[in-house]
Amino acid sequence: MSKGFRKSLFGFNTEDVLRYISASDNAAKAKISKLEKEKAELISKIEAIEKEKAELNAIAEEYKNKKEYIKLMTDNTARIYLAAKSTSKLMIDNANESRKLIEDANETRISALDDVQEAMKDLKEKINTASKSYSDEVDELSISFENLKNCINDNYTQTESALDEFNTLANKKI
């Protein structure tokens, strides 16, 4: 496996061998630099996804708090309705009027609950999409790291092999 080395008096031309080793070293350094840049870009993407996940979690918490608030308001409305129903005969007209107002408010709240429920469904879908995307990117990153590891191991093996050949040649010259 001479790689185009010229012959000299005691084997291959030393300058050719040194140029080959230097070129191999430069190629390996360039590849490592490129892979480190790709690694940094992937880490940046992961951080952006984690930030987005945190934002989505905050939105989910906000919707949860709003849902609890609406439930509390609905419970309070029901209590008000029951209290109005148990009032005296003199307040029946007022209670009926209050009931009508409460029913309208309940319709509004139900509509708001429907809107919140729809928003929660949308949020769930977005979270699932973000989670899937995050999982896919982590899988890709893992594969990339495995490929990088294999590439580094291959470069190391090739370098060791070239070094052994060089040492063999050097020993033969001695």
Side-chain angles (χ1 to χ4, degrees), residues 96-138:
N96 285 334
E97 188 176 317
S98 294
R99 184 176 50 85
K100 175 68 174 132
L101 293 173
I102 290 170
E103 287 175 354
D104 292 343
N106 281 341
E107 287 178 15
T108 302
R109 287 183 184 109
I110 288 172
S111 176
L113 281 171
D114 290 340
D115 292 345
V116 168
Q117 186 177 18
E118 188 64 35
M120 288 178 67
K121 284 180 185 177
D122 290 342
L123 178 61
K124 179 182 176 183
E125 184 177 316
K126 287 177 183 176
I127 289 172
N128 287 338
T129 301
S131 176
K132 172 78 170 99
S133 175
Y134 177 76
S135 177
D136 290 345
E137 287 189 25
V138 168

Side-chain angles (χ1 to χ4, degrees), residues 2 7 11 19-21 26 37 40 42 46 58 65 70 98 105 108 113-114 123 133 148 162 174:
S2 67
K7 298 276 185 173
R19 267 195 299 273
Y20 173 74
I21 290 171
N26 289 340
K37 181 179 177 185
L42 290 172
I46 288 171
N65 292 338
I70 290 170
S98 294
T108 302
L113 281 171
D114 290 340
L123 178 61
S133 175
L148 175 61
I174 294 177

Side-chain angles (χ1 to χ4, degrees), residues 84 87-100:
T87 59
S88 68
K89 186 151 176 77
L90 295 174
M91 299 186 76
I92 288 177
D93 290 340
N94 289 338
N96 285 334
E97 188 176 317
S98 294
R99 184 176 50 85
K100 175 68 174 132

